[in-house]
């Protein structure tokens, strides 16, 4: 993917003006899964440091994060969880009406409809979950 600098210091994919960029940045197991058989992602922490992955550079380009409830529950237990994703608007797809960590907003409904209504100038980071990734792929939003 080729990136261009923008006036706000972020980089975006080469795209038509007014077209949203949606990204999935993640790892999958060799057998094609995002999580292990118990729906955990703790295996990701064995892959090296954040500096080794380029993740920080990637995240600086994002405006919005969206994740599913299982992913949110996974990060809830991490140290300094309130420090995660401070520079972005963060949405969790869940039936819950509130979440225990500030800076995360619960969202119920269709992920495709939600993403389509976001500001078209935003970079959207999908943080895991086949229930989110699948419909977005089907709608050709990546």
């Amino acid at each position: 993917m080729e990136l261009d600098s923008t006036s706000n210091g972020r980089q975006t994919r080469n795209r038509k003006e007014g077209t949203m960029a949606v990204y999935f940045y993640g790892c999958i197991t060799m057998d094609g899964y995002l999580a292990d058989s118990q729906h955990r992602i703790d295996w990701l922490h064995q892959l090296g440091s954040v500096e080794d992955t380029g993740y920080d550079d990637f995240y600086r380009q994002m405006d919005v994060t969206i994740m599913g409830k299982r992913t949110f529950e996974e990060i809830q237990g991490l140290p300094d969880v309130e420090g995660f994703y401070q520079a972005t608007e963060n949405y969790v797809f869940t039936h819950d009406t509130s979440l225990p960590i500030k800076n995360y907003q619960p969202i119920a409904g269709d992920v495709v409809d939600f993403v389509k209504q976001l500001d078209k100038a935003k970079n959207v980071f999908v943080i895991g979950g086949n229930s989110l990734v699948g419909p977005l792929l089907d709608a050709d939003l990546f």
Side-chain angles (χ1 to χ4, degrees), residues 6-136:
T6 63
S7 61
N8 66 2
R10 294 179 183 238
Q11 293 182 331
T12 58
R13 290 189 306 179
N14 284 338
R15 62 181 191 236
K16 294 180 205 167
E17 187 66 33
T19 304
M20 178 181 300
V22 178
Y23 299 89
F24 174 74
Y25 184 106
C27 298
I28 60 169
T29 61
M30 293 295 287
D31 54 356
Y33 292 95
L34 298 172
D36 67 15
S37 61
Q38 285 77 42
H39 305 287
R40 293 185 315 241
I41 60 169
D42 56 348
W43 64 272
L44 290 170
H45 305 292
Q46 302 167 13
L47 298 177
S49 70
V50 171
E51 294 80 18
D52 294 337
T53 65
Y55 177 81
D56 287 339
D57 292 333
F58 168 79
Y59 177 69
R60 279 192 284 279
Q61 301 170 42
M62 298 300 110
D63 301 295
V64 174
T65 70
I66 61 173
M67 66 187 78
K69 176 68 184 254
R70 283 191 199 147
T71 301
F72 178 74
E73 288 172 345
E74 239 349 275
I75 67 168
Q76 262 185 285
L78 297 176
D80 191 32
V81 68
E82 299 222 357
F84 281 36
Y85 309 122
Q86 289 184 334
T88 49
E89 301 168 31
N90 306 299
Y91 300 97
V92 178
F93 279 81
T94 179
H95 296 288
D96 295 343
T97 57
S98 65
L99 297 170
I101 301 171
K102 61 183 176 183
N103 196 32
Y104 294 84
Q105 301 300 315
I107 297 293
D110 182 73
V111 66
V112 172
D113 292 340
F114 177 77
V115 169
K116 284 182 176 180
Q117 61 83 37
L118 291 172
D119 181 338
K120 301 301 182 228
K122 302 277 185 172
N123 287 329
V124 179
F125 174 19
V126 180
I127 305 173
N130 186 48
S131 62
L132 300 179
V133 173
L136 293 170

